[in-house]
Amino acid sequence: MKNVFCFNVLIIGLLVAIALTMSACMTAKKKAEMAQNKPLVDTYWVLKSVKGEDIPKCIITPNIVFHADGKFTGNLGCNIFYGNYYSGKKKIRMEFEGATKKLCENMKVEKLFLQQLHSEFRQYEIDKDVLILKDKDGEVMRFFAGVKPE
């Protein structure tokens, strides 16, 4: 009887150890997946597409940076812009405040980007190094994490 009790305790202990090990592995895997996603804040996000259309190469690549103080700044391709944002749990609200008004050679991408900055974003999604800003109808702009030029 004593041997059966010890055997049952041993089996239960072994099962608990296996379950804890599997749980720790899944948690580590989930943490690794999450660690691969770039953060919204302080990442240099380079514009890739607007409304599903890739943007052409520009001398200065349009970009945006969301700062920890609730402000965003960026470059439209020629002019710089700024504003405020509020975010939490994949939700985002952006308030465009202004931009410089230099006249540049090719303003097509700049005008398109500026027009979309006035959209009412509701959500964002980050998948590794890709940021997607969405409105009520779906994807508006897609960015990738880049390296800020010096």
Side-chain angles (χ1 to χ4, degrees):
M1 183 81 157
K2 187 176 183 181
N3 287 342
V4 171
F5 176 75
C6 289
F7 181 73
N8 287 342
V9 170
L10 179 65
I11 294 297
I12 290 171
L14 185 60
L15 291 173
V16 168
I18 290 170
L20 288 173
T21 302
M22 289 177 66
S23 175
C25 289
M26 283 189 246
T27 302
K29 183 179 178 185
K30 184 70 173 169
K31 284 180 183 176
E33 287 172 3
M34 289 175 62
Q36 291 177 358
N37 285 350
K38 296 287 186 182
L40 175 69
V41 176
D42 293 331
T43 298
Y44 182 76
W45 295 108
V46 178
L47 184 63
K48 168 118 177 65
S49 65
V50 176
K51 297 281 189 175
E53 290 190 35
D54 286 349
I55 62 154
K57 297 284 183 202
C58 303
I59 294 172
I60 298 175
T61 306
N63 61 76
I64 190 168
V65 177
F66 296 91
H67 304 281
D69 63 359
K71 298 192 180 305
F72 64 84
T73 58
N75 194 304
L76 297 163
C78 173
N79 290 287
I80 58 172
F81 64 91
Y82 54 94
N84 297 301
Y85 76 97
Y86 310 91
S87 70
K89 295 197 181 203
K90 306 293 181 195
K91 302 282 185 200
I92 191 163
R93 190 174 93 228
M94 296 172 62
E95 296 173 350
F96 178 82
E97 287 193 2
T100 56
K101 297 182 191 261
K102 294 188 293 184
L103 186 58
C104 299
E105 203 170 296
N106 185 353
M107 302 287 286
K108 181 180 176 187
V109 171
E110 179 150 332
K111 287 177 183 176
L112 183 62
F113 189 14
L114 185 59
Q115 178 184 17
Q116 297 311 314
L117 281 173
H118 289 285
S119 296
E120 189 173 317
F121 299 109
R122 296 173 187 239
Q123 292 181 296
Y124 72 92
E125 178 182 317
I126 297 175
D127 183 14
K128 296 181 179 49
D129 64 347
V130 175
L131 167 67
I132 301 170
L133 294 178
K134 301 175 177 183
D135 65 9
K136 64 181 172 54
D137 298 322
E139 182 176 324
V140 176
M141 291 190 285
R142 182 176 292 248
F143 299 82
F144 66 91
V147 178
K148 187 173 184 175
E150 296 300 321

